[in-house]
Amino acid sequence: REKMIAARCTLPLTDTPDLPADLGMRHRAAIGVTETTDADAIVVSEETGAISAARNGKFMLNLDAQKLEAILSE
């Protein structure tokens, strides 16, 4: 049986000041959670479908499937 462990969680936002202005709350939370944990985060834009990923507080924009697979395989 699967159980929901948490819902409506608030993730830590990054305090990095030099991010592009068009990055929204999900992107900032993805970066923030990778700054404070060992997690990787993947963000898919609901507007454009663009795939981005965050690891160790670093953000990688506009990834294709091959690049995302390579990042996750590391």
Side-chain angles (χ1 to χ4, degrees), residues 32-63:
V33 77
T34 69
E35 290 172 336
T36 57
T37 70
D38 63 351
D40 291 341
I42 300 167
V43 180
V44 179
S45 169
E46 61 188 58
E47 293 177 7
T48 66
I51 301 169
S52 302
R55 174 180 279 166
N56 298 324
K58 305 292 184 211
F59 205 62
M60 298 155 274
L61 292 165
N62 300 317
L63 303 173

Side-chain angles (χ1 to χ4, degrees), residues 11-17 19 24-25 27-33 35 57:
L11 299 175
L13 300 180
T14 186
D15 290 326
T16 303
L19 294 174
M25 194 76 91
H27 294 87
R28 294 173 190 280
I31 298 167
V33 77
E35 290 172 336

